[in-house]
Amino acid sequence: MRLLLKPYKREYYWDYFFIKENLREIDKKEVLLSGTNMEEWIGDKNQKEVYIGYVDENQCLEPVLIYGVYSINHEWGNVIWCIGTDGIKKCARDFIVKSKEQIDKWKKEYGSMWNYVLTENTKSIKWLTHMGASWGEPLVVNGNEWVFFQIKGE
């Protein structure tokens, strides 16, 4: 199925809320452990670009993911992030193609990007590796194992 991406606007709040309430279990865990308030995070002035993704199923749009790049003055670059629902499985192939295009664009525009992911988040690790991420050594924080990744800019 097709993935439709739109720049996030406040008018899509209820779609964001649907995503938040239906997050993949591993995304719920990462958001919880990171202590991130997603409403504040998405609306933060340092968000350079935020997109919301919908599965286009017979012209019925189901919100399935939200992602972006956050500008921060850090030697590793800007923060890249993505959270979604299990609905992403319906458009996995299109997500991989479109996210690769987006990340390649961001590498030129924003340079290097980084973040941490739980080592148990194997689907995200596989996707990020395909996107060109390089990996650091795992780091245990409060009994949870995280791994640093970086996608080098151009």
Side-chain angles (χ1 to χ4, degrees):
M1 285 184 212
R2 213 175 110 220
L3 176 66
L4 174 67
L5 297 171
K6 297 180 180 184
Y8 181 76
K9 299 177 186 173
R10 279 279 169 213
E11 64 196 60
Y12 302 140
Y13 176 79
W14 291 109
D15 295 335
Y16 153 73
F17 188 77
F18 176 85
I19 293 167
K20 180 183 168 198
E21 292 301 307
N22 293 282
L23 279 178
R24 296 181 319 137
E25 288 302 316
I26 191 68
D27 287 344
K28 282 182 193 174
K29 185 175 182 179
E30 286 183 349
V31 169
L32 178 68
L33 292 173
S34 71
T36 302
N37 177 315
M38 289 307 300
E39 285 88 359
E40 290 177 9
W41 176 254
I42 290 170
D44 191 285
K45 66 180 174 124
N46 291 317
Q47 291 290 351
K48 292 301 178 194
E49 294 185 47
V50 177
Y51 289 87
I52 190 163
Y54 301 85
V55 170
D56 187 352
E57 190 170 9
N58 300 322
Q59 298 186 339
C60 179
L61 299 179
E62 175 189 342
V64 294
L65 65 98
I66 190 163
Y67 69 95
V69 63
Y70 184 87
S71 179
I72 186 170
N73 187 13
H74 197 284
E75 66 184 274
W76 297 333
N78 297 296
V79 175
I80 188 171
W81 58 274
C82 179
I83 56 174
T85 72
D86 287 323
I88 193 68
K89 295 174 191 173
K90 297 176 187 175
C91 59
R93 186 178 308 266
D94 209 23
F95 170 64
I96 290 168
V97 170
K98 289 182 176 179
S99 60
K100 180 73 170 139
E101 291 169 357
Q102 183 74 65
I103 288 172
D104 287 347
K105 176 183 169 260
W106 284 350
K107 288 190 316 191
K108 292 175 186 161
E109 219 168 306
Y110 301 114
S112 295
M113 297 165 285
W114 65 277
N115 208 329
Y116 285 84
V117 63
L118 286 170
T119 56
E120 65 192 87
N121 193 345
T122 55
K123 289 182 181 178
S124 289
I125 289 171
K126 184 177 178 181
W127 167 67
L128 288 162
T129 300
H130 182 72
M131 296 298 114
S134 56
W135 299 93
E137 292 297 317
L139 171 69
V140 177
V141 178
N142 295 327
N144 295 285
E145 192 172 74
W146 297 83
V147 64
F148 170 83
F149 69 88
Q150 185 178 45
I151 299 172
K152 292 280 188 187
E154 296 179 11

